[in-house]
Amino acid sequence: MKDSSCIFCKIANGEIPSTTLYEDDNFRVILDLGPASRGHALILPKEHFADVCALPEQLAAKALPLGARIGAAMKQALGCDGFNLVQNNGEAAGQTVFHFHMHVIPRYAGGPSMVTWTPGESTPEELAETAKAIQKAL
């Protein structure tokens, strides 16, 4: 299913021009118009899914290997030292376009710090309580 009001549906299906790196029956990979670093790409499914929770397992199983393939190509072609695979779900997590997408962000030695956080602290009891709550929801 496609959403006629979704900009990523339009880009993924070729209705809006983009700089395409890769395309198959399920995905289009494009260069991000507002890159975090040179080569920043987005993996877009051609069908509309709001986030990873709505993404069918068979497509989800293809997204991660595709991210690895794109990242490896970036290391070879751009000389980046590594890459991040970033996938946000929900406004609180930084999702701004509600069409599943995964960022492939090349990282260069000495480049800016991104996708980082300061580790918090937790007691073994808090970890056990948190794990129990999540396990119950599974």
Side-chain angles (χ1 to χ4, degrees), residues 58-138:
Q58 70 273 17
L59 278 182
K62 294 177 181 181
L64 190 60
L66 180 55
R69 182 176 172 193
I70 298 298
M74 289 173 171
K75 287 175 72 174
Q76 180 180 344
L78 302 177
C80 60
D81 299 291
F83 59 93
N84 291 109
L85 297 177
V86 179
Q87 203 286 305
N88 303 320
N89 294 279
E91 190 174 341
Q95 186 178 9
T96 58
V97 179
F98 293 88
H99 177 114
F100 171 87
H101 57 287
M102 186 162 51
H103 298 260
V104 186
I105 305 172
R107 300 298 300 274
Y108 301 91
S113 179
M114 58 180 111
V115 193
T116 62
W117 60 87
T118 302
E121 294 182 19
S122 191
T123 66
E125 295 78 19
E126 289 172 316
L127 292 174
E129 182 180 325
T130 300
K132 189 177 233 180
I134 295 169
Q135 291 165 344
K136 189 174 182 179
L138 290 173

Side-chain angles (χ1 to χ4, degrees), residues 12 23-28 44-47 58-59 62:
E23 182 176 9
D24 63 24
D25 291 341
N26 301 119
F27 297 97
R28 181 181 297 251
L44 307 173
K46 292 183 175 180
E47 297 292 323
Q58 70 273 17
L59 278 182
K62 294 177 181 181

Side-chain angles (χ1 to χ4, degrees), residues 21-41:
L21 300 179
Y22 172 85
E23 182 176 9
D24 63 24
D25 291 341
N26 301 119
F27 297 97
R28 181 181 297 251
V29 181
I30 65 166
L31 288 178
D32 194 304
L33 289 176
S37 66
R38 180 173 175 253
H40 180 169

